[in-house]
Amino acid sequence: MLVVATSEGIHVGVRPKGGWDWRVELAGHQVRAVVPDGVAWWALVDGNEVWQRRPERVWAGVARWGQELTCLAVGPAGPLIGTAGAGLVQIGSNGQISAVPAFAHAPTRGQWYTPWGGPPEVRSLAIAGDGTWFANVHVGGILRSHDGGATWSATIDMRADVHQVSCPRADQPDMVLAACADGLAISRDGGASWRLRDDGLPYRYCRAVSLVGDTVLVSVSQGPRGGNAQVLRAPLEGWAPFRSCGLPGSSVASGDTGRIIDTGRMAASGGQVAVASNAGEVLTSLDGGASWTEIARGLACPQWLVWV
């Protein structure tokens, strides 16, 4: 199944023979993100609420926070959630939501900012296979914790302007990918050092990243306001340049001004990958991005994709 969080509920797509069938859950609710944990699904709903879906497809609100909730990751300790104002909260085993106190004193916090002068936020989260937490602050780089949030260290230069952090392989916890304003950053040592790849990118402003086998895909656009959105791919190993994926039959492919594939709107599982644009299109590829099929259009502001 492919699950798409939107401003008008969660669209769940199932692919039987002959095409895709879609149903809507949490209709009428704004859903910022949805992540499965192997048993249940977790979702950020209507700005500041956390909901849970049990296997019987029953959704229920489990927690509410005093700030907007921006991103979500689920690990062995439960859901980890970013907030506006660059906060971090988690759902404990007792079902209660609480702040991660040490994050309020994370290194470089006094330097975090946004280009437009508003408060920074936690834009994306990733949990590595060894349990390490990575929190991407916009704009504040990537913070790392090896001890469940008790202590934090800064990893990448804040000027990299990270838009998404990803730990795509559970069996390689030291590999971390980051879509940045100047290209794709790759770490092989858990964030201790990074190398930047931008060869072949028509624009270096990367918003989302996924890994399909040994192929890395990134979404790019002309800048913060979007324009000429494209998806490109390259072998993960070596320095081969990025090449366009094409995305035929969609306004994404045409590079229409304003079209973007933003943080969380690209998802991979096995050999398949899906992308969603802010125009409401969803496309999938079964060959690592070499060819694409549009499977939905007209969705209301897609926010997050995940394969289940």
Side-chain angles (χ1 to χ4, degrees), residues 108-140:
T108 73
R109 188 178 185 94
Q111 304 172 48
W112 300 350
Y113 70 99
T114 55
W116 54 91
E121 66 178 31
V122 178
R123 182 165 177 147
S124 67
L125 295 164
I127 301 176
D130 62 359
T132 302
W133 293 0
F134 292 91
N136 156 215
V137 175
H138 191 247
V139 177

Side-chain angles (χ1 to χ4, degrees), residues 261-274:
I261 298 170
D262 212 344
T263 307
R265 298 178 194 173
M266 180 186 296
S269 177
Q272 56 192 353
V273 63

Side-chain angles (χ1 to χ4, degrees), residues 102 131-133 144-152:
T132 302
W133 293 0
R144 176 185 62 192
S145 176
H146 292 299
D147 51 16
T151 59
W152 293 88

Side-chain angles (χ1 to χ4, degrees), residues 16-294:
K17 292 182 179 180
W20 284 78
D21 292 333
W22 293 90
R23 68 173 186 269
V24 180
E25 301 184 13
L26 290 181
H29 291 276
Q30 296 181 0
V31 184
R32 182 70 174 262
V34 57
V35 177
D37 68 2
V39 177
W41 297 1
W42 297 87
L44 306 183
V45 179
D46 294 336
N48 66 342
E49 298 179 2
V50 182
W51 287 51
Q52 185 187 45
R53 176 193 190 266
R54 303 303 298 175
E56 58 272 17
R57 299 186 186 178
V58 175
W59 284 96
V62 298
R64 180 178 296 175
W65 193 247
Q67 290 177 302
E68 181 183 3
L69 305 177
T70 58
C71 56
L72 171 66
V74 179
L80 182 65
I81 304 162
T83 79
L88 200 60
V89 299
Q90 60 184 141
I91 306 289
S93 58
N94 59 0
Q96 298 298 309
I97 190 169
S98 61
V100 178
F103 195 71
H105 309 286
T108 73
R109 188 178 185 94
Q111 304 172 48
W112 300 350
Y113 70 99
T114 55
W116 54 91
E121 66 178 31
V122 178
R123 182 165 177 147
S124 67
L125 295 164
I127 301 176
D130 62 359
T132 302
W133 293 0
F134 292 91
N136 156 215
V137 175
H138 191 247
V139 177
I142 299 171
L143 286 300
R144 176 185 62 192
S145 176
H146 292 299
D147 51 16
T151 59
W152 293 88
S153 60
T155 66
I156 200 169
D157 191 327
M158 284 176 48
R159 291 170 292 183
D161 190 4
V162 179
H163 299 128
Q164 184 170 352
V165 62
S166 174
C167 297
R169 289 182 174 168
D171 61 341
Q172 297 183 28
D174 286 338
M175 184 173 69
V176 189
L177 308 179
C180 307
D182 288 327
L184 173 69
I186 302 175
S187 176
R188 294 290 191 171
D189 51 17
S193 63
W194 299 83
R195 66 184 178 104
L196 192 69
R197 291 181 59 177
D198 62 4
D199 191 22
L201 296 179
Y203 313 105
R204 296 195 300 171
Y205 198 89
C206 297
R207 295 176 176 271
V209 58
S210 281
L211 185 65
V212 184
D214 294 322
T215 299
V216 62
L217 290 88
V218 295
S219 71
V220 303
S221 62
Q222 284 181 299
R225 292 179 176 82
N228 290 319
Q230 299 181 41
V231 175
L232 298 101
R233 64 181 187 139
L236 177 65
E237 305 297 340
W239 288 94
F242 282 94
R243 299 187 183 280
S244 176
C245 288
L247 302 182
S250 75
S251 59
V252 177
S254 67
D256 289 348
T257 300
R259 296 298 197 264
I260 58 176
I261 298 170
D262 212 344
T263 307
R265 298 178 194 173
M266 180 186 296
S269 177
Q272 56 192 353
V273 63
V275 299
S277 78
N278 64 329
E281 306 145 325
V282 180
L283 300 99
T284 60
S285 172
L286 301 179
D287 52 15
S291 62
W292 295 82
T293 301
E294 184 176 274

